[in-house]
Amino acid sequence: MSEEKFRVESDLLGELKVPINAYYGVQTQRGINNYHISRKKMRDYPDYVVAIAYVKLAAVQTNHSLGVINDEISGAISQACQEIIDGKFHEDFPIDMMQGGAGTSVNMNANEVIANRALEIMGHKKGEYQYCYPNDHVNCGQSTNDVYPTTIRLALIRMNKSLVASLTGLISALRYKGEEFKDVLKMGRTQLQDAVPMTAGQEFNAYANNLEEEILNLERNIKLLHEINMGGTAIGTGLNAVPGFAKLCAANLSKLTGEPFVSAIDLVEATPDTGAYVSFSGALKRLAVKLSKICNDFRLMASGPRCGLNEINLPPKAPGSSIMPGKVNPVIPEVTNQVCFKVIGNDATVTFAAEAGQLELNVMEPVITECLFESLWWLHNAIDTLTEECVLGITVNKERCYEMVKNSIGIVTALNPYIGYKNSTKVAKEALETNRSVYDIVLEKGLLTKEELDEALDPKNMLASHKFIK
């Protein structure tokens, strides 16, 4: 490329060429040159870019109110931040998600983009930093060590809303199937052995209720992310921030985003603290564990079709084999399982990274960020896929389910209150050894009359608590 396609900027380490049309500057360029790790860029997560623009907007509003930055510069920086919030200039956030420096490259990327756009707004050229400097103006009263964690927290809060929306959709789909299958009698199982009868509707409603708890758990943990350390600057002492910055900045960020941010009581404590990330990651892991278990159940219930349980049918999505004609695999539950494994692994990484903090800062926040963003994004996509491509299309094999109930030894459990556990055991053993039905053996032994037996084995008396007569 010819020289005119670059401009030259300088920093502590010397001069460096930057693409002439880029809004980022020299420190971002160093980040681009240094980190080729994850193939994931900051711009791949729009909520991340929007979050740091909100943080910078709150900061400049705070500095303007406190008389630190004049009207012209404050107005230009504010406009630049708002444009980023509105979706512009996201391509100028090319920093790799995995990096050293505890997020300095991310903070400087934002400082430089905002400063150069502000320069344009004021009628200057990119790089004419004497009029608006990334560090002195955009980063005024701040440090990477308070901007970066605050940005992460806001981004997680925003991304969690998308996850909860997806989860709500899955829960609704499961409840829809619960209503559709409410009259389908089937065998419940414990330890993969026949237990007692239930309905397929009860099973699907249980899945819905099980996941409903996870919305509450996510919301409990997201509240921990509302405590921020803006104004703490480098280590929490507030050096280079004017008095009143911390609380006013938290208030401004709350007003801008609609989120109830509060300034941490002890900014020195809050600066290296990653406990909220550990808790939130744990909530994502808990959701993943439950979701994976449900997918395991779907795969078991759909196993067959001739030589398995064959209780439900999953929508066929792809031929299942390159060698076995007619085979169709449960690919949607399978991919969801794998996403859940990734989330569980990410949680382990978050835990190790949180533990690795030293003294007044945790420099491992970039990997914490990458893991949490990945878990949120993957879960959101997997849940949408599971809902739309699997759950809504599930059908049940009613006759197959009922046949297994009739032939099950498990229904003898319903007779315990009438004939006693000892007699029920004898009946179950004989049924197993002779391959005869529980029903016939009970009548043959005269343990109950036909009317009494029919009443005891009526589905309505096996699906919930009820009174019985000995």
Side-chain angles (χ1 to χ4, degrees):
M1 292 185 178
S2 61
E3 286 294 321
E4 60 266 26
K5 293 191 177 180
F6 295 92
R7 66 178 188 269
V8 177
E9 294 192 11
S10 62
D11 60 7
L12 170 70
L13 300 183
E15 294 184 340
L16 199 65
K17 292 178 180 178
V18 177
I20 196 166
N21 292 322
Y23 283 90
Y24 58 78
V26 59
Q27 291 202 46
T28 303
Q29 188 63 55
R30 292 199 189 281
I32 294 170
N33 295 347
N34 288 339
Y35 308 121
H36 305 277
I37 309 295
S38 70
R39 296 186 180 178
K40 297 177 190 171
K41 310 299 182 186
M42 186 178 179
R43 63 190 174 206
D44 293 332
Y45 294 99
D47 285 313
Y48 194 14
V49 179
V50 168
I52 200 165
Y54 268 123
V55 171
K56 293 296 178 180
L57 180 55
V60 74
Q61 287 181 350
T62 302
N63 282 318
H64 182 252
S65 296
L66 296 173
V68 180
I69 295 181
N70 67 38
D71 292 349
E72 182 187 19
I73 295 176
S74 172
I77 291 175
S78 295
Q79 182 179 329
C81 290
Q82 188 60 56
E83 288 175 349
I84 294 169
I85 291 166
D86 293 338
K88 297 180 181 179
F89 311 115
H90 284 212
E91 68 278 3
D92 277 274
F93 289 83
I95 296 292
D96 196 294
M97 288 294 295
M98 286 299 299
Q99 57 193 257
T104 298
S105 293
V106 168
N107 186 33
M108 286 308 303
N109 192 170
N111 290 334
E112 290 173 344
V113 171
I114 293 167
N116 278 308
R117 177 56 188 145
L119 286 170
E120 284 187 337
I121 292 167
M122 291 189 291
H124 305 293
K125 295 179 181 179
K126 297 184 184 74
E128 294 185 336
Y129 296 133
Q130 65 269 32
Y131 302 107
C132 180
Y133 195 68
N135 298 73
D136 292 341
H137 298 109
V138 183
N139 199 59
C140 179
Q142 304 151 65
S143 162
T144 294
N145 301 345
D146 55 4
V147 169
Y148 188 57
T150 302
T151 296
I152 295 167
R153 287 164 185 251
L154 176 54
L156 291 173
I157 290 166
R158 289 172 61 89
M159 293 174 74
N160 185 65
K161 293 181 189 299
S162 296
L163 175 61
V164 169
S166 295
L167 189 52
T168 301
L170 175 57
I171 291 167
S172 296
L174 291 167
R175 292 203 190 286
Y176 176 80
K177 289 297 169 180
E179 178 64 22
E180 183 180 342
F181 302 154
K182 66 181 180 182
D183 296 323
V184 178
L185 195 65
K186 61 162 286 181
M187 281 304 296
R189 296 176 181 84
T190 57
Q191 292 143 300
L192 295 181
Q193 305 298 303
D194 300 349
V196 296
M198 64 186 302
T199 68
Q202 287 176 314
E203 196 160 37
F204 276 76
N205 278 321
Y207 294 145
N209 290 329
N210 191 250
L211 293 177
E212 193 91 63
E213 296 174 358
E214 298 318 294
I215 292 179
L216 297 176
N217 194 45
L218 287 168
E219 290 175 346
R220 277 194 297 269
N221 282 280
I222 210 72
K223 291 178 181 178
L224 300 175
L225 298 171
H226 284 111
E227 183 180 89
I228 61 174
N229 69 326
M230 286 297 290
T233 67
I235 63 170
T237 60
L239 181 67
N240 291 353
V242 297
F245 183 97
K247 289 187 178 180
L248 182 55
C249 190
N252 284 335
L253 188 59
S254 297
K255 190 180 299 183
L256 287 167
T257 63
E259 297 292 337
F261 288 107
V262 295
S263 182
I265 295 173
D266 184 343
L267 295 176
V268 173
E269 179 277 332
T271 299
D273 180 31
T274 53
Y277 304 139
V278 175
S279 295
F280 184 64
S281 180
L284 295 175
K285 179 182 73 172
R286 194 175 109 158
L287 169 59
V289 169
K290 288 189 173 187
L291 190 62
S292 191
K293 185 269 180 190
I294 291 170
C295 288
N296 293 341
D297 288 359
F298 287 167
R299 290 163 56 212
L300 276 172
M301 290 189 288
S303 61
R306 299 292 175 85
C307 301
L309 295 182
N310 192 32
E311 291 182 340
I312 63 173
N313 307 300
L314 304 180
K317 290 296 172 181
S321 173
S322 62
I323 189 174
M324 294 173 279
K327 188 170 184 285
V328 179
N329 294 332
V331 295
I332 304 301
E334 286 173 354
V335 74
T336 306
N337 281 129
Q338 292 172 79
V339 168
C340 293
F341 303 157
K342 191 70 163 64
V343 173
I344 293 166
N346 283 346
D347 178 67
T349 300
V350 169
T351 302
F352 280 117
E355 183 276 337
Q358 297 167 320
L359 304 176
E360 278 66 60
L361 185 67
N362 188 318
V363 302
M364 307 302 175
E365 280 188 321
V367 75
I368 292 174
T369 304
E370 195 280 330
C371 285
L372 289 174
F373 284 9
E374 185 177 66
S375 292
L376 277 161
W377 189 247
W378 283 34
L379 277 172
H380 161 66
N381 288 334
I383 289 172
D384 282 350
T385 300
L386 182 66
T387 302
E388 296 162 12
E389 303 298 333
C390 181
V391 174
L392 288 172
I394 291 175
T395 58
V396 67
N397 298 320
K398 186 174 183 178
E399 294 75 16
R400 166 71 171 165
C401 289
Y402 185 62
E403 190 67 26
M404 285 193 282
V405 172
K406 284 199 306 181
N407 293 327
S408 171
I409 306 302
I411 62 172
V412 76
T413 302
L415 303 181
N416 282 350
Y418 301 93
I419 64 175
Y421 187 87
K422 187 173 183 179
N423 281 330
S424 295
T425 301
K426 290 179 180 178
V427 169
K429 183 179 179 182
E430 185 173 337
L432 281 169
E433 291 174 347
T434 63
N435 200 30
R436 297 171 63 206
S437 74
V438 168
Y439 189 94
D440 290 342
I441 294 171
V442 170
L443 289 179
E444 181 182 285
K445 293 183 176 296
L447 296 172
L448 290 172
T449 66
K450 187 176 185 306
E451 291 73 18
E452 291 170 335
L453 182 57
D454 288 341
E455 177 68 15
L457 297 181
D458 189 304
K460 72 175 185 292
N461 290 330
M462 292 193 291
L463 301 176
S465 302
H466 66 95
K467 293 181 179 180
F468 56 87
I469 301 172
K470 290 188 176 180

